[in-house]
């Protein structure tokens, strides 16, 4: 009993039969040039110059095409500056002792206020808040329900 691959190989036609489809008719190339030339119209004049006319839309490059190199350079510079900033922050020495931490916090602190200065600050702040609340209340009372 033949195997399936042997059955398939028997179904393939021989090479001579397969190549019969690809023949050129007799005398095809004998008059080919005259047939091609007869299809070209002779009443049209060919242009005298060999110059190619460029469409007006392609004469000037688009804006983006002209500024693309500059945007690339700008992006690269921004990336370098950003990386430099990150590198500078990461290379700062950390504070090691509690005295260094305390001195750095003290340097950032505000000068202490006396009790009188603190009371004056609170009084001025409270008066401003109360006046603002009073002005808002008076404004709302003056408005009718339709205006609100």
């Amino acid at each position: 009993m033949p195997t399936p691959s042997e059955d398939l190989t028997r179904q393939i036609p021989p090479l001579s039969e397969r190549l019969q489809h690809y023949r050129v008719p007799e005398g095809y190339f004998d008059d080919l040039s005259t047939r091609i030339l007869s299809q070209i119209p002779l009443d049209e004049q060919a242009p005298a110059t060999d110059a190619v006319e460029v469409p007006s839309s392609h004469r000037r490059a688009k804006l983006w095409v002209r500024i693309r190199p500059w945007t690339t350079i700008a992006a690269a510079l921004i990336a370098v500056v950003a990386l430099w900033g990150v590198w500078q922050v990461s290379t700062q020495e950390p504070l090691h002792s509690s005295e260094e931490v305390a001195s750095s916090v003290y340097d950032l602190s505000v000068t202490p206020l006396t009790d009188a200065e603190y009371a004056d600050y609170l009084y001025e702040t409270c008066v401003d808040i109360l006046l603002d609340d009073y002005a808002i209340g008076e404004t709302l009372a003056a408005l009718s329900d339709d205006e609100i």
Side-chain angles (χ1 to χ4, degrees):
M1 176 169 211
T3 64
S5 63
E6 290 174 358
D7 287 341
L8 289 175
T9 54
R10 283 190 206 142
Q11 293 176 0
I12 298 173
L15 181 62
S16 61
E17 289 180 24
R18 287 185 281 160
L19 294 178
Q20 282 180 341
H21 300 289
Y22 302 107
R23 287 197 183 168
V24 178
E26 294 294 327
Y28 179 79
F29 292 106
D30 294 341
D31 61 343
L32 180 64
S33 61
T34 56
R35 282 186 286 146
I36 292 175
L37 289 175
S38 68
Q39 294 177 359
I40 298 174
L42 297 176
D43 50 333
E44 291 183 17
Q45 293 292 330
T49 62
D50 292 337
V52 177
E53 185 176 329
V54 178
S56 62
S57 62
H58 295 291
R59 287 189 184 140
R60 285 188 47 211
K62 303 286 185 205
L63 176 66
W64 176 246
V65 172
R66 288 186 285 152
I67 66 171
R68 188 182 309 157
W70 295 106
T71 56
T72 305
I73 292 170
L77 286 175
I78 289 171
V80 167
V81 168
L83 289 174
W84 180 262
V86 169
W87 181 73
Q88 289 294 330
V89 169
S90 65
T91 58
Q92 290 179 351
E93 293 184 22
L95 301 175
H96 296 290
S97 68
S98 60
E99 293 173 5
E100 290 177 356
V101 173
S103 67
S104 67
V105 170
Y106 181 75
D107 291 341
L108 298 175
S109 65
V110 181
T111 57
L113 295 175
T114 63
D115 289 342
E117 291 171 333
Y118 187 64
D120 289 342
Y121 169 75
L122 287 178
Y123 177 75
E124 290 172 5
T125 305
C126 290
V127 166
D128 288 342
I129 291 172
L130 289 174
L131 286 176
D132 289 343
D133 287 347
Y134 178 76
I136 291 171
E138 288 293 317
T139 304
L140 289 175
L143 296 174
S144 65
D145 290 339
D146 296 333
E147 294 174 330
I148 297 176

